[in-house]
């Protein structure tokens, strides 16, 4: 894609943190069948995001990305507390997700380090994106699905097949 996109890497990395967390906690109101509240919640978050971006943009594009991370992230945590009707229930759910978040964070850090090493070696951004994405996916799958992967590999290598 060229060097003109280098400025966009850091803001996207910041926004990926929110995307990572959002994967573990889908629509809190929709999960309880309260879809009307989900729409209202979305509108409130949209308005809060406008103000967050207006404030964050004073610090550049990274500031705007951090503002979105905070506004949307904290509003989502608030919604989870409201839906769970118990902060302790929410806390137990978050604790259960921590290993997944931790592994994903480690994978993201490793991908970022790999990107820097490959950039110093003069490798193009396209190759770097492909290599870091593949590394993240395989690391996550390897850690959490190792038993299933071993079983699948065994089935493929066996004479009986699937």
């Amino acid at each position: 894609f060229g060097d003109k996109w280098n400025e966009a890497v850091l803001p996207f990395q910041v926004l990926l943190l929110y995307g990572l967390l959002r994967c573990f906690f889908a629509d809190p109101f929709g999960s309880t069948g309260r879809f009307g509240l989900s729409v209202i919640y979305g509108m409130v978050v949209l308005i809060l995001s406008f103000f967050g971006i207006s404030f964050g943009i004073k610090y550049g594009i990274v500031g705007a990305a951090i503002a979105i991370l905070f506004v949307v992230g904290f509003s989502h945590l608030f919604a989870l507390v409201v839906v769970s009707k118990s902060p302790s229930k929410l806390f137990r759910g978050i604790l259960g997700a921590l290993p997944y978040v931790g592994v994903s964070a480690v994978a993201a850090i490793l991908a970022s380090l790999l990107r820097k090493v490959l950039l110093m070696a003069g490798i193009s951004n396209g190759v770097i994106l492909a290599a870091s994405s593949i590394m993240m996916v395989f690391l996550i799958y390897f850690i959490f699905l190792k038993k299933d992967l071993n079983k699948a590999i065994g089935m493929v290598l066996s004479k009986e097949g699937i």
Side-chain angles (χ1 to χ4, degrees):
F1 295 100
D3 291 335
K4 65 182 178 182
W5 292 102
N6 286 344
E7 295 287 321
V9 171
L10 184 58
F12 278 116
Q13 288 175 335
V14 171
L15 293 174
L16 281 173
L17 291 174
Y18 170 72
L20 170 75
L21 294 174
R22 180 71 179 191
C23 289
F24 295 107
F25 307 108
D27 178 16
F29 297 108
S31 65
T32 60
R34 297 158 59 190
F35 297 104
L37 280 177
S38 187
V39 172
I40 293 169
Y41 164 75
M43 293 298 172
V44 170
V45 170
L46 178 66
I47 293 167
L48 291 174
S49 296
F50 173 77
F51 289 113
I53 291 171
S54 297
F55 173 77
I57 202 72
K58 295 175 187 174
Y59 302 97
I61 193 166
V62 175
I66 291 172
I68 286 293
L69 176 66
F70 279 106
V71 168
V72 179
F74 283 118
S75 65
H76 195 69
L77 284 175
F78 176 75
L80 288 169
V81 170
V82 169
V83 167
S84 69
K85 298 178 183 173
S86 165
S88 65
K89 243 191 231 182
L90 173 65
F91 185 69
R92 283 193 310 267
I94 290 173
L95 281 178
L98 279 180
Y100 300 100
V101 173
V103 167
S104 298
V106 168
I109 290 167
L110 290 174
S112 178
L113 292 173
L114 176 65
R115 180 181 181 277
K116 289 180 186 201
V117 168
L118 293 177
L119 275 175
M120 289 189 304
I123 298 175
S124 72
N125 276 330
V127 172
I128 292 170
L129 176 62
S132 61
S133 298
I134 289 169
M135 183 183 78
M136 282 185 70
V137 168
F138 280 110
L139 180 64
I140 292 168
Y141 277 104
F142 177 75
I143 289 174
F144 288 106
L145 302 172
K146 184 178 179 184
K147 188 178 0 173
D148 295 328
L149 285 173
N150 287 339
K151 185 178 175 183
I153 291 169
M155 288 171 59
V156 169
L157 295 178
S158 75
K159 294 179 182 177
E160 297 172 16
I162 295 178

